Amino acid sequence: MRRFVRECFMSGHRIYLADLTHDGMILSSNVFPLSIGLVAAYLIEKRGPQVEVDLFKYPDDFSEALLQNQPAIVGFANYSWNFALSRAYAAQIKARWPDTIIVFGGPNYGLTPEEGRTFWDRHGDVIDFHVVKEGEEAFLQLFDTLVDHKMDVSSLKAARTVIGNVHYAVGDELVTGPDLPRVDLATLPSPYLMGLMDKFFDEKLCPLIHTTRGCPFKCAFCTEGSAYYNVVGQRVAPLEAEMHYLSSRIRGPKDLFISDANFGMFKQDQEKARIIADCQQKYDYPKYVHVSTGKNQKARVVEIVKSLNGAVSMAASLQSTDETVLANVSRSNISVEQLAAAGKMANTSNTGTYSELILGLPGDSLRAHRNSLRDTVEMRFDNIRMYQLIMLPQTELNTPAVRRQYDMKTKFRIMPRSFGRYSIGDTEFVAVESEEILVSNSTLPFEDYVACREMDLTIEILHNGRIYTEVVGVCDAYGLSWFDLIMRFFERRRDFTPEITEMYDAFLRGTTERLWPTERDLTAYVEANIDEMLVDERGTNEMSSGKATAFFLLLEQINGTLFQLLRDELRENGYLDSVASRYLDELERYSLLRKRNLLKSEDEIVERFSIDLERLDDAGYVVKPTEASLGSEHSFVISHDAQQRQLIGQYSREFGDSFDGLGKMLMRYPHVHRLFRHAEPAA
């Protein structure tokens, strides 16, 4: 098969397909460009002798290739995280080589007449065609039609030729092709097995695969909530060969990304999990699998997740626990109770768990959001991913009628790590990605939105990643509420130390000041300030920056503050005697030693304690002081094990030592507690 690919590259129409990433201090998107790989594989299989196809991820590589050879067609993957970058390249290509045909394709394109008209008014001067929905067959049909018209775009458009899943503009007229039948995933060739992805096996990118397409649910905030995607296609047959192929070639982070929306929910997923587990056994890969697990059939999901040796986190994507909010976004067909029960089932093993909440859905409020946070914390999910509502194309919530119904007010913000200065030859240009987010609605005024965001930051720094599992254990041992303790911290967040106050103030500035009324205003700001932004190690993600500040700069202060609040809580409930007080002093010291200077894996700490640190680790710290006492002081060695050192080395290579990189590490790998040092009795 690979010999066939190389031979077919030797002649034919030159086609470049690009799924670009911003690549400043760290990569904005560090996964293989699967979408363009699938389009390329399908095109080569069907029209091999007629095409020469090259794939691109990095802007510099793309620029160099453009200068070496002028392609007949350039296709860009259109996602929210790379549209502006792709559009900027398209403008440069049209200026230099006006005959080159520019095709975009992907979900970042609105399907209503109003959205379509706006898109082509803004971008029709540099984009010739846009592929919507599934792209493999659509791109093939577009290519065939262009060949019929001798690669003359004007001729094709003058004929008003209708092509399935393809849109284009002719003056003020928008020509839209009908929906093509859904692609049979079982018949799609693998870009991995065809060798098309070999160039991406570097030390930066992580493989991305898909085993299903579509989603049976109809969530109003999701692009897969439309009827077109409600039938789920399965892809099992080529997976085993594909997984062994990429597992044997992996050079960078030992992570695997799967684009499925409901992994583990279908009976076919059991075989997929077996294949992945076999690769773990044979290649020690993947160590971590990034995938959204299923929303129903939770017993099956838990079984499958547990079979993957802690590599997959169990998801319970609640979005909200408020019944009104859930009904407003067509989410009532998913059982909150079953999701919560599944999360607790998964927590009985080494499997991580997380839930997702979206702030600002129709009907949301300060009270409703706080209750959702309480529910998810008390359900004992390891991590709660707290998102803002993004107005995504092809979603019901983004329609004008729904915006008016709920008085939805929005602003534009810079997408984290998604900006930069690029060049083709001597020509430089700036590109920045923006996203439109909701900042208020009829039940959530802006000031409450801001308060919710600061509440989310508090959950992020205290709860997520089990960073303060020692405090959680004490709360459980005495029957106290961990969430109430978090809220004590939140309500007094500006009363502790000047540094903690400044952390919240910086977050507040990022939340309220880095908002622009239009994309044009945001772009103008970035273009005027690009030099400063490219050297600002804190980046533009206020949540990530706040968490990195809390963990890497203010750990001692926050650790001490949280233990003091715990002492206050125990005192108020009559539990703080002299034994408990001494126990908390030692536990506070141990908590700090486990995490301080975390990435210095060579550190080996020897200190004396009168509490049984090994037993505490094993019991998850749910131990009362009298049960943990050793009677006298003993020496303990507190250090990382070999596997932890290996992971720390991997993360250091992947994210570097910039502050923004450290923040992304904490957010991307939510089980940071797996890197904390453990104690053993000194010899």
Side-chain angles (χ1 to χ4, degrees), residues 597-652:
N597 299 321
L598 184 66
L599 302 184
K600 292 186 177 180
S601 59
E602 69 279 2
D603 284 1
E604 187 174 275
I605 303 161
V606 179
E607 294 213 10
R608 295 178 66 79
F609 288 85
S610 62
I611 56 177
D612 190 341
L613 300 183
E614 281 192 302
R615 180 182 179 189
L616 289 172
D617 283 346
D618 292 340
Y621 305 94
V622 188
V623 178
K624 288 192 175 181
T626 54
E627 300 167 346
S629 176
L630 290 172
S632 62
E633 286 192 344
H634 291 64
S635 291
F636 288 88
V637 177
I638 304 167
S639 62
H640 293 111
D641 61 29
Q643 184 176 23
Q644 289 175 318
R645 292 190 184 98
Q646 181 184 19
L647 284 173
I648 288 170
Q650 172 191 313
Y651 295 161
S652 296

Side-chain angles (χ1 to χ4, degrees), residues 157-178:
K157 290 189 174 183
R160 306 300 197 269
T161 305
V162 175
I163 308 166
N165 284 15
V166 174
H167 292 191
Y168 60 89
V170 185
D172 293 333
E173 181 184 354
L174 181 59
V175 180
T176 59

Side-chain angles (χ1 to χ4, degrees), residues 271-291:
E271 172 64 8
K272 301 169 193 174
R274 180 199 64 76
I275 292 168
I276 296 172
D278 285 350
C279 289
Q280 290 178 318
Q281 178 78 19
K282 184 173 182 179
Y283 305 102
D284 193 31
Y285 173 86
K287 288 286 192 182
Y288 194 88
V289 178
H290 304 262
V291 64

